[in-house]
Amino acid sequence: NIKMNGKEIKKLMVDGKEFFGGDVKTGLKNLPVDMVEKLKTYDKKSDLARITGIDDGEEETVLDLTVKKGMNQGWFGNVDLGAGTEDRYTGRAMINRFYDKTQVSIIGSANNVNDQGFSGGGPRWRRNNGLNATKMLGANFATETEKLELGGSMRYNYRDADVVTVGSSQRFLQSGDSYSNSNKADRNKVTDFNADFRMEWRPDSMTNIIFRPNVSYDKTRGASVAESGTFNEDPYQYVVNPNDYLNFDNIESDDPLRDTRINATNEHNLSKSNSLSANATLQLNRKLNNEGRNITFRGSFGYGDDDSDQYAQSETRYYQIKNYLGGDSIEYRNQYITMPTKNYNYTAQFTYSEPIARATFLQFSYRFQYKNSKSDKSTYDLGYPWNINDGLPEDYETAYVDSLSKDAEYKYFNHDISLGLRFIREKYQLSAGMSLQPQNTKLSYKKGDYMTDTTRTVFNFRYRFSKVSQLRITYRGRSSQPSMENLLPIVDNSNPLNIRVGNPGLKPSFAHTMRLFYNTYNAEKQRGIMTHVNFTATQNSISNSTIYDENTGGTTSTPQNINGNWNAFGMFGFNSALKNKKFTINSFSRVNYRNQVAFLYNKETLHDDKNTTTGLTLAENLNGSYRNDWFEFSLNGSIEYTAERSKLRPEKNQNPYTFSYGASTNVTLPWQMTLSTNITNQSRRGYDDASLNNNELIWNAQIAQSLLKGAATVSFEMYDILKQQSNISRSLTADVRSVTEYNSINSYCMVH
């Protein structure tokens, strides 16, 4: 992804028109850099805010590419094919027809390098989680006349993900800890198709009509095999790798982990789902005068139909619970679960803007929203020794389990009444407003209906010193409702090791967010400065209160409201050209502090036992480069330090830090051959787990020859030449520490 001033780019535009519905990833992987003359980034307001001037807070940061004049008339395209060692391949093609104000593009691609091909630009370093093969085919068009703008796209995507994970975790209990290890192999194949259309019609200077429909279809097929085990002591004390002792076939009679085992599970799952969704939005705006008085009607409708089936087969052994013969207790689970879900929603909105003074507007808005969702979960116990690969028996419906099934309907009514005041001046804008949102939520189940009310408050301030300098201060308060599953007053024990109990008494959470942003740019010196400060605090966050059973190793979780979660973030960026503008330097500094509160794992139902973890992160990235017509060289370095603290478990405190340094160069020889390489050493230190305190020296290289006056290029690329890149991720929260390693192919060569 791309970030601009700390904010992620959400939409891609070409000459001001949405490209493939604004899909950033599709555009970046297919648009050739040779077509781009210049680019700009800005915060694009929603259709409603753009037309009416009423800030609804739904703006998106977009990247807008301007096409070179020689390419905005006629045909152009590109083809990239590559084959490499380790059975790696990549290919993509694109053809475009631009004429007047019309764009037509067709793209296609296929690869199994996790979308990591960077032919012509030099290889890069990144993490890979699993092996992924993708295929894509799409078409996009956009056209414009004086009164009418039309655009749309269609995309077909296929993804085959083969992900193998090896994990270990440590859960923090009130007394002692619980340890878990797992092996899992997932294979998921996903096919999806989506189409979108956009129309903006201006029949006269006072009227604007916007229509946006879209439809999508997804098909998913998945299979997984997993092995897991829970221990009451750290299993690494007894064996080098506890993950080798999780499969029942590998557990011998003289098991070295026997005395510390709580449970072990071997399971096999098959799943399939089909999903169809369609949405449409219609907006009509009419100006009543040229001073800013206008009215707007906006309506939307959405429909979704999802059908999913799952086959689950597992064997769980409980080593602390004995059967009547004195042996380990064994539980078999052989289930078929089907859950069709249908939902629809519609929204109607009216807005009115009235000028009350010079460049000062009073704005009123009323919106009604309705959502309906029906789900019918049916669970069938197929018994032992049913085999998951045998398919459903003919009489499976007789095995219906009422206690594991549910039929629920969720109805949501929302009225949003808002009033705002907006001042627009040459150098600053100020808007302040408040909205009242009476909400009525009905959850139809065996135990009745539930209702709740909430409000949202918005305050914005923006000061623009000049076209290249601005200060923005924003406060936004936003509420969010608990999910339907969390509100269901039922016990879901379909997985005996992870039982969930709903909580109809959950309150909606409310997040307060304050942002400050400043940036300035000196074009003559090519010098830019920006700073960004963000603070977020959430009232009534939803966390899980979990009861831990020492005999089974299973948990029973109930969602509960919790307070005390907040986060503060600050960053400062500086970049500047130096002597002769051939040298550049840029610095990016950031600080982050998080305060996270979570319920401890308990042996009984207690909701007051909480743990607070804090994390202070300090980071600096510094880069310098030199560039002329044929030679480019850059040096880079970064360091990130984190102080992790646990209030109730101070023995878990640690001060990890990561630092890296490296260099990259690109040399263009007189016969249009380029040599490029980059090398980076990344080091971890300060982790309690010694295996994480390591170094990774990543070296990539490329040689490329330009042919046919730059119309073609042949290249040879080498990735992770020293074979040192790992794929390990780690996380620490208030109640668990975990480490996960993924399968991947990082080291290979490829010819493009």
Side-chain angles (χ1 to χ4, degrees):
N1 57 25
I2 299 178
K3 290 187 177 181
M4 187 275 291
N5 296 331
K7 294 182 293 184
E8 186 175 348
I9 299 292
K10 294 291 188 180
K11 189 167 286 187
L12 184 70
M13 320 281 285
V14 176
D15 283 342
K17 301 178 179 66
E18 293 182 11
F19 186 78
F20 279 95
D23 185 355
V24 177
K25 187 175 294 185
T26 298
L28 292 179
K29 292 185 183 302
N30 294 280
L31 286 170
V33 68
D34 289 341
M35 68 177 282
V36 180
E37 181 179 34
K38 59 185 178 181
L39 61 85
K40 59 181 176 180
T41 58
Y42 53 91
D43 291 326
K44 184 176 183 293
K45 297 183 180 297
S46 68
D47 288 336
L48 180 65
R50 177 171 57 90
I51 300 300
T52 66
I54 298 178
D55 190 352
D56 57 4
E58 303 300 327
E59 65 184 17
E60 298 175 308
T61 303
V62 303
L63 174 65
D64 197 342
L65 307 177
T66 300
V67 178
K68 292 178 180 176
K69 291 183 179 180
M71 286 190 169
N72 59 11
Q73 294 289 331
W75 294 86
F76 68 95
N78 64 296
V79 177
D80 181 357
L81 300 174
T85 60
E86 305 293 339
D87 297 322
R88 301 299 92 187
Y89 67 86
T90 181
R92 62 185 177 210
M94 179 179 192
I95 187 168
N96 302 272
R97 170 66 165 141
F98 283 23
Y99 57 95
D100 296 330
K101 293 186 178 182
T102 299
Q103 307 171 358
V104 179
S105 302
I106 299 176
I107 60 177
S109 66
N111 75 81
N112 66 353
V113 293
N114 289 359
D115 289 330
Q116 201 177 213
F118 288 90
S119 181
R124 297 292 185 263
W125 176 91
R126 63 168 59 181
R127 291 257 182 243
N128 296 321
N129 293 344
L131 304 177
N132 296 279
T134 61
K135 297 179 177 64
M136 189 271 288
L137 181 65
N140 179 81
F141 84 96
T143 187
E144 180 181 358
T145 65
E146 183 180 352
K147 292 187 175 183
L148 184 65
E149 289 185 38
L150 298 174
S153 66
M154 294 184 294
R155 277 166 291 173
Y156 163 84
N157 290 277
Y158 173 80
R159 180 169 178 263
D160 184 354
D162 181 3
V163 182
V164 177
T165 57
V166 177
S168 62
S169 65
Q170 177 182 3
R171 293 197 179 276
F172 309 143
L173 308 177
Q174 291 169 298
S175 58
D177 290 337
S178 169
Y179 301 84
S180 296
N181 291 68
S182 64
N183 301 320
K184 189 174 184 181
D186 279 296
R187 188 70 180 270
N188 286 289
K189 299 180 180 181
V190 181
T191 303
D192 68 75
F193 171 83
N194 58 72
D196 63 84
F197 177 76
R198 174 176 51 86
M199 181 198 76
E200 183 167 348
W201 181 33
R202 299 175 291 273
D204 55 59
S205 61
M206 308 293 281
T207 308
N208 180 281
I209 301 172
I210 298 176
F211 180 51
R212 286 179 175 265
N214 65 78
V215 63
S216 65
Y217 173 77
D218 298 274
K219 182 176 76 172
T220 303
R221 301 293 183 265
S224 67
V225 177
E227 308 157 356
S228 61
T230 305
F231 308 88
N232 55 26
E233 293 183 74
D234 187 352
Y236 289 94
Q237 299 178 82
Y238 303 98
V239 296
V240 176
N241 186 8
N243 290 74
D244 293 337
Y245 297 83
L246 299 179
N247 190 297
F248 292 149
D249 295 335
N250 297 335
I251 299 177
E252 306 293 341
S253 56
D254 56 345
D255 177 16
L257 298 175
R258 181 66 179 82
D259 293 337
T260 191
R261 288 188 187 275
I262 298 176
N263 66 48
T265 298
N266 288 187
E267 59 182 321
H268 185 189
N269 292 281
L270 297 175
S271 63
K272 62 178 181 178
S273 68
N274 298 286
S275 178
L276 174 68
S277 66
N279 300 274
T281 301
L282 177 65
Q283 177 178 298
L284 298 88
N285 174 264
R286 177 70 179 178
K287 294 181 180 178
L288 302 180
N289 61 24
N290 291 320
E291 279 71 48
R293 179 183 299 153
N294 63 72
I295 59 173
T296 303
F297 295 95
R298 180 182 174 91
S300 65
F301 177 80
Y303 171 80
D305 188 351
D306 181 85
D307 190 7
S308 63
D309 298 307
Q310 180 184 6
Y311 300 85
Q313 184 178 55
S314 66
E315 178 182 343
T316 302
R317 299 182 183 180
Y318 300 101
Y319 294 89
Q320 306 296 323
I321 301 176
K322 302 302 178 183
N323 59 26
Y324 67 94
L325 296 177
D328 299 328
S329 179
I330 300 177
E331 181 176 19
Y332 296 98
R333 184 163 66 106
N334 293 280
Q335 295 177 349
Y336 167 62
I337 303 169
T338 176
M339 192 168 75
T341 301
K342 290 187 177 182
N343 61 79
Y344 66 91
N345 64 84
Y346 59 83
T347 301
Q349 183 174 3
F350 167 80
T351 62
Y352 177 77
S353 178
E354 174 67 28
I356 57 176
R358 183 182 66 86
T360 304
F361 304 92
L362 185 65
Q363 298 170 333
F364 169 81
S365 174
Y366 168 74
R367 183 180 67 173
F368 172 76
Q369 184 180 35
Y370 173 74
K371 296 180 181 179
N372 181 286
S373 178
K374 290 183 178 181
S375 64
D376 180 10
K377 179 181 178 182
S378 300
T379 303
Y380 304 88
D381 189 348
L382 303 180
Y384 181 80
W386 171 77
N387 190 299
I388 196 170
N389 297 309
D390 292 340
L392 282 172
E394 292 183 359
D395 60 345
Y396 77 93
E397 292 184 347
T398 62
Y400 180 83
V401 182
D402 184 68
S403 61
L404 299 179
S405 304
K406 67 181 182 184
D407 186 2
E409 181 176 9
Y410 173 85
K411 295 180 180 180
Y412 171 87
F413 304 84
N414 178 55
H415 302 267
D416 187 337
I417 306 166
S418 63
L419 187 66
L421 194 61
R422 185 179 180 89
F423 301 89
I424 301 176
R425 298 296 184 265
E426 181 180 356
K427 287 194 173 184
Y428 71 90
Q429 296 182 28
L430 176 64
S431 64
M434 177 175 291
S435 67
L436 177 66
Q437 293 184 352
Q439 298 178 358
N440 181 293
T441 304
K442 294 184 177 180
L443 181 62
S444 299
Y445 189 69
K446 295 179 180 178
K447 296 185 180 180
D449 301 335
Y450 308 94
M451 300 174 64
T452 184
D453 291 320
T454 187
T455 61
R456 181 176 72 164
T457 306
V458 178
F459 175 80
N460 295 299
F461 172 75
R462 179 184 299 185
Y463 187 88
R464 185 177 292 274
F465 302 95
S466 65
K467 291 184 178 180
V468 294
S469 302
Q470 66 170 326
L471 170 68
R472 297 183 64 180
I473 301 173
T474 302
Y475 165 78
R476 204 174 299 279
R478 190 181 298 271
S479 65
S480 59
Q481 297 292 322
S483 69
M484 184 174 72
E485 291 292 326
N486 284 339
L487 285 170
L488 286 173
I490 61 170
V491 177
D492 182 358
N493 57 0
S494 55
N495 183 350
L497 292 180
N498 185 17
I499 299 172
R500 295 191 58 82
V501 181
N503 180 7
L506 279 179
K507 302 175 183 178
S509 59
F510 193 93
H512 303 267
T513 302
M514 175 72 77
R515 292 190 179 97
L516 181 149
F517 172 75
Y518 169 78
N519 78 296
T520 186
Y521 183 73
N522 186 317
E524 181 180 352
K525 296 182 179 180
Q526 295 183 11
R527 178 177 300 162
I529 297 174
M530 67 162 176
T531 186
H532 181 198
V533 178
N534 185 86
F535 175 81
T536 301
T538 305
Q539 295 173 260
N540 292 321
S541 296
I542 297 177
S543 182
N544 284 318
S545 175
T546 305
I547 304 171
Y548 177 74
D549 190 327
E550 289 185 320
N551 293 319
T552 66
T555 59
T556 301
S557 301
T558 303
Q560 300 282 349
N561 291 115
I562 198 169
N563 288 302
N565 288 315
W566 59 274
N567 182 81
F569 170 79
M571 56 157 286
F572 177 79
F574 172 82
N575 63 84
S576 178
L578 302 179
K579 184 179 179 181
N580 300 324
K581 305 220 170 58
K582 292 183 178 180
F583 293 90
T584 60
I585 185 172
N586 66 78
S587 170
F588 188 81
S589 309
R590 57 189 171 89
V591 57
N592 187 76
Y593 185 86
R594 61 176 174 83
N595 193 87
Q596 185 180 30
V597 182
F599 295 102
L600 280 173
Y601 274 47
N602 305 304
K603 299 178 184 177
E604 54 187 13
T605 306
L606 298 172
H607 299 322
D608 297 326
D609 297 314
K610 305 172 185 176
N611 185 24
T612 300
T613 56
T614 61
L616 172 65
T617 299
L618 304 172
E620 167 65 25
N621 292 71
L622 184 64
N623 299 276
S625 64
Y626 169 83
R627 177 187 296 174
N628 61 24
D629 292 339
W630 63 274
F631 178 70
E632 179 182 348
F633 180 77
S634 64
L635 295 173
N636 60 81
S638 68
I639 185 168
E640 179 175 303
Y641 167 82
T642 302
E644 298 175 347
R645 299 291 181 265
S646 175
K647 181 178 179 181
L648 296 182
R649 303 299 299 274
E651 70 275 12
K652 306 301 179 186
N653 295 347
Q654 59 179 4
N655 300 284
Y657 61 97
T658 301
F659 60 92
S660 68
Y661 49 89
S664 64
T665 185
N666 192 81
V667 181
T668 303
L669 301 176
W671 53 93
Q672 295 303 300
M673 176 180 285
T674 60
L675 305 175
S676 61
T677 186
N678 58 63
I679 187 166
T680 300
N681 185 69
Q682 180 164 300
S683 304
R684 302 183 186 92
R685 299 291 186 270
Y687 290 100
D688 292 341
D689 185 348
S691 65
L692 293 176
N693 297 319
N694 56 16
N695 301 311
E696 292 182 26
L697 183 62
I698 312 300
W699 179 26
N700 306 309
Q702 173 185 269
I703 180 171
Q705 176 64 55
S706 179
L707 305 171
L708 304 176
K709 297 182 180 180
T713 301
V714 177
S715 66
F716 176 69
E717 302 175 358
M718 294 178 288
Y719 293 85
D720 190 17
I721 298 172
L722 304 178
K723 298 184 177 181
Q724 292 195 12
Q725 183 174 341
S726 69
N727 286 280
I728 297 177
S729 64
R730 61 172 296 277
S731 69
L732 174 68
T733 65
D735 58 3
V736 65
R737 182 201 307 273
S738 64
V739 179
T740 306
E741 183 174 3
Y742 297 88
N743 63 321
S744 66
I745 295 178
N746 299 318
S747 181
Y748 59 92
C749 304
M750 179 165 281
V751 175
H752 278 270

